[in-house]
Amino acid sequence: MSLVRLNIKGISYSQTQNGAYALILNEVDGDRKLPIVIGAFEAQSIAIALEKEIRPPRPLTHDLFKNFADRFDIVVKQVIIHKLVDGVFYSSLICERDKIEEIIDARTSDAIALALRFQAPIFTYKNILDKAGIYLKVNPKSEDEGDSILVDDLVAEEVEAGIQESFKDKTLQELNALLEEAVKNEDYEKAAKIRDEISKR
């Protein structure tokens, strides 16, 4: 399977889920975007890494990981978003120490927050982009103003529609089973999405 390189386009506040954000990843050699729902803490951590001028007085969790890795000569070489199941992305950190490569499982939001700190490239497989990638109309005015971390409302609405679509075809029974599984796996971002879909029914 061929890998596709992604860049971070921006972060959009979720209109339907309190405290949730959508991270928009952009295909480097194409026009598709990959929206990923992340929590407020991860959104803050990613935004701080993108905004080089903001320096928190004490290290955030991802900064602490970076400091720890630097101290022990561990380098994150790349991040691969390798799986998509029921609207949830799964990622791996490809790390290296003493020329020995290790693959570490990570939540996608954490993996991207770390990729930014290590200046590591982010990839996904073509079949994941084919399945979850969407074409977004971007406001040309905002393009001229340079890259803003927060993407505009039009993009936010389209992202919301795409994210909610993945649960529309599920029955209430299936949704409740998915909710139970998400809570058991401590995947609270997914649980919040499922809860919102259940409450709409």
Side-chain angles (χ1 to χ4, degrees):
M1 284 185 287
S2 57
L3 286 172
V4 179
R5 186 157 179 183
L6 302 168
N7 282 336
I8 295 172
K9 175 70 185 162
I11 298 169
S12 132
Y13 184 70
S14 171
Q15 308 296 318
T16 59
Q17 298 173 51
N18 281 342
Y21 291 78
L23 173 66
I24 317 291
L25 299 174
N26 197 54
E27 184 182 13
V28 168
D29 295 318
D31 299 320
R32 286 176 296 182
K33 311 283 187 283
L34 196 64
I36 298 172
V37 174
I38 62 174
F41 171 75
E42 291 79 10
Q44 179 192 44
S45 184
I46 289 167
I48 284 171
L50 288 169
E51 285 277 5
K52 302 283 190 282
E53 295 80 45
I54 301 173
R55 302 281 300 176
R58 304 187 72 201
L60 298 175
T61 306
H62 298 110
D63 298 318
L64 175 62
F65 183 98
K66 171 76 164 70
N67 295 342
F68 182 89
D70 288 346
R71 185 66 57 92
F72 292 97
D73 296 320
I74 300 163
V75 178
V76 174
K77 303 292 283 181
Q78 61 185 20
V79 163
I80 300 176
I81 302 168
H82 62 84
K83 193 165 72 170
L84 172 62
V85 180
D86 292 326
V88 176
F89 294 91
Y90 294 79
S91 296
S92 297
L93 299 171
I94 313 300
C95 303
E96 190 179 272
R97 180 174 184 239
D98 296 333
K99 298 199 169 86
I100 297 168
E101 203 169 82
E102 297 284 350
I103 299 171
I104 298 173
D105 183 40
R107 292 190 312 164
T108 299
S109 52
D110 290 329
I112 289 169
L114 290 170
L116 283 168
R117 286 161 172 81
F118 283 91
Q119 294 174 344
I122 302 162
F123 296 95
T124 192
Y125 289 108
K126 184 181 178 296
N127 65 324
I128 291 176
L129 201 55
D130 291 343
K131 188 175 169 186
I134 55 177
Y135 290 93
L136 295 177
K137 300 183 287 290
V138 177
N139 185 341
K141 186 167 73 74
S142 66
E143 285 280 324
D144 299 339
E145 290 164 5
D147 280 342
S148 165
I149 285 177
L150 283 170
V151 296
D152 64 26
D153 290 342
L154 175 68
V155 172
E157 282 167 28
E158 289 191 50
V159 167
E160 284 299 315
I163 289 164
Q164 293 305 318
E165 200 62 43
S166 61
F167 293 118
K168 283 224 169 89
D169 57 344
K170 303 273 188 236
T171 65
L172 263 178
Q173 192 177 355
E174 287 172 322
L175 286 171
N176 282 311
L178 284 171
L179 179 61
E180 203 173 305
E181 187 190 340
V183 171
K184 194 173 85 178
N185 295 332
E186 296 182 20
D187 190 346
Y188 301 118
E189 293 162 29
K190 181 181 176 185
K193 282 200 294 183
I194 298 165
R195 186 204 58 223
D196 289 345
E197 184 61 35
I198 290 170
S199 61
K200 276 189 206 167
R201 302 285 175 99

